[in-house]
Amino acid sequence: MENQIKGLHHITAIAGNAQRNYNFYTKVLGLRLIKKTVNFDDPETYHLYYGDEVGTPGTVLTFFPWQNIMTGRRGSRQATEIGYSVPENSLEFWLKRFEQHNVIHNKVAEKFGERYLTFLDPDGLKLELIASKKPDNRLPWETNEIKAENATKGFHNVTITTNKMQPTADILTGVFGYKLLEQHVNRYRFVTDAVDNANIVDLVEVEGEKAGHVAGGSVHHVAFRVENEAVLMHYREKIEALGLHITEKIDRNYFYSLYFREPGGVLFELATDNPGFSVDEPVNELGSHLKLPPQYEEYRASLETTLPKLV
Ligand code: ZN
């Protein structure tokens, strides 16, 4: 089991204005900002991480907020929906909350026997709250306005839209250890039993769908979770053996990573549990300081002036 892919680690998306992103995810949705750092490839941009109290893998949604980014377009070869697990009777609470905060949302609907509520973040990123039919015993992060009986518990699933689902399905089943659980029309649900939560990937096959454009309001990559660096490198070999290009191991400060583009066109990452988000600030202070990787520490003073304050 410890050698397996343990479901989702984090999902990274692109936003426009950082403050607006922060307001939405911490105040409206009630997630905790667990890390305020910079984009390691573009240090004048934030990299914001939201999750549960400690940033447990499977609860972590991260953003690169680029103020002047153009809006992306949903389409094939993209992760197109991010599903959060919420308590069974909380959807009425969320409907009311979304009305109050002018969040664009649909009516409550049902798929695979679960009620869910689709909504858009301020940049148009599509998310869902899903009243999971399986008990979800993860402890949620609470805020003054959102208590445990309603709070999100981390990811339920991610949806990938593809022209042909088989090549992506082959990675999920042949390499990652997922199984096809259910199918409804063109939606194929894959699950791994290596973990109890954040363990579902839905593939939606739409043959003629144009490739989406990854920009504001779209998912940049989907990261899957592995126990440690030994397992990470084991998967590196497996993926390389398929003839796919995969990066060297990259140190992301809070985890170690590999990236490869799966045959369906989505950028996948594999990320380790170690060392975790409390490696550079204590749990009770997560997200409250600007944390920089060593290579940017010398620019701290200037970055602290350039980067917008989040309040
Ligand atoms: Zn990532």
Side-chain angles (χ1 to χ4, degrees):
M1 179 149 160
E2 54 277 8
N3 290 328
Q4 290 178 285
I5 299 285
K6 304 198 300 176
L8 296 169
H9 185 285
H10 66 271
I11 298 174
T12 294
I14 301 172
N17 182 274
Q19 179 70 53
R20 188 174 68 170
N21 179 262
Y22 173 78
N23 287 347
F24 185 79
Y25 285 96
T26 62
K27 296 170 191 171
V28 179
L29 211 54
L31 305 181
R32 184 181 192 195
L33 178 70
I34 50 157
K35 196 61 66 184
K36 185 165 60 173
T37 182
V38 293
N39 182 337
F40 289 9
D41 304 313
D42 179 10
E44 293 192 354
T45 306
Y46 273 130
H47 191 184
L48 302 176
Y49 289 73
Y50 305 101
D52 68 359
E53 183 183 13
V54 298
T56 309
T59 73
V60 179
L61 180 60
T62 94
F63 287 90
F64 299 129
W66 277 296
Q67 176 66 37
N68 297 314
I69 190 82
M70 63 177 287
T71 303
R73 197 189 59 248
R74 266 189 297 281
S76 65
R77 305 178 70 76
Q78 264 188 347
T80 45
E81 292 154 16
I82 298 168
Y84 274 95
S85 167
V86 292
E88 205 174 348
N89 297 312
S90 65
L91 292 181
E92 298 308 315
F93 166 88
W94 286 106
L95 267 176
K96 222 182 277 167
R97 190 166 178 81
F98 288 170
E99 307 263 311
Q100 276 164 5
H101 292 271
N102 297 313
V103 177
I104 297 172
H105 64 85
N106 275 345
K107 289 189 187 129
V108 172
E110 196 175 308
K111 65 186 165 201
F112 297 126
E114 293 176 320
R115 295 170 72 236
Y116 70 99
L117 173 58
T118 302
F119 63 103
L120 301 180
D121 88 352
D123 289 291
L125 184 69
K126 193 175 178 188
L127 301 114
E128 291 172 349
L129 298 177
I130 300 158
S132 175
K133 63 182 171 190
K134 237 183 55 189
D136 188 333
N137 55 14
R138 290 177 288 180
L139 278 183
W141 174 250
E142 292 183 304
T143 68
N144 285 339
E145 295 181 6
I146 307 170
K147 298 298 176 198
E149 67 260 29
N150 298 311
T152 62
K153 296 185 171 204
F155 296 132
H156 176 282
N157 72 324
V158 67
T159 296
I160 288 170
T161 300
T162 167
N163 297 129
K164 281 196 172 60
M165 73 96 179
Q166 199 57 53
T168 306
D170 288 346
I171 297 289
L172 292 176
T173 59
V175 185
F176 285 7
Y178 282 65
K179 292 185 199 101
L180 179 63
L181 180 72
E182 284 175 275
Q183 178 196 351
H184 181 68
V185 195
N186 63 338
R187 180 179 287 268
Y188 299 79
R189 171 154 291 190
F190 293 85
V191 65
T192 175
D193 53 17
V195 279
D196 292 329
N197 308 110
N199 59 351
I200 295 171
V201 178
D202 281 358
L203 300 183
V204 170
E205 185 178 66
V206 191
E207 224 173 277
E209 180 83 355
K210 242 175 88 176
H213 177 62
V214 175
S218 41
V219 172
H220 185 269
H221 63 265
V222 177
F224 292 85
R225 175 182 182 189
V226 295
E227 181 101 7
N228 55 40
E229 292 157 78
V231 185
L232 187 73
M233 296 318 274
H234 162 75
Y235 278 97
R236 187 174 190 284
E237 276 173 33
K238 282 186 147 191
I239 290 152
E240 212 171 29
L242 297 174
L244 295 172
H245 173 75
I246 181 160
T247 64
E248 296 297 322
K249 182 174 81 176
I250 300 173
D251 181 354
R252 290 299 185 199
N253 260 24
Y254 311 106
F255 41 86
Y256 294 91
S257 284
L258 298 168
Y259 299 82
F260 72 101
R261 200 167 290 282
E262 56 88 18
V266 178
L267 186 60
F268 276 3
E269 177 181 356
L270 298 174
T272 60
D273 281 359
N274 63 299
F277 294 97
S278 55
V279 69
D280 61 359
E281 54 189 342
V283 166
N284 64 343
E285 293 175 18
L286 287 181
S288 53
H289 314 280
L290 176 66
K291 303 310 292 188
L292 298 173
Q295 68 268 33
Y296 298 132
E297 222 21 274
E298 59 175 309
Y299 307 112
R300 174 174 288 277
S302 116
L303 288 172
E304 280 181 342
T305 333
T306 322
L307 291 162
K309 297 271 168 295
L310 299 178
V311 289

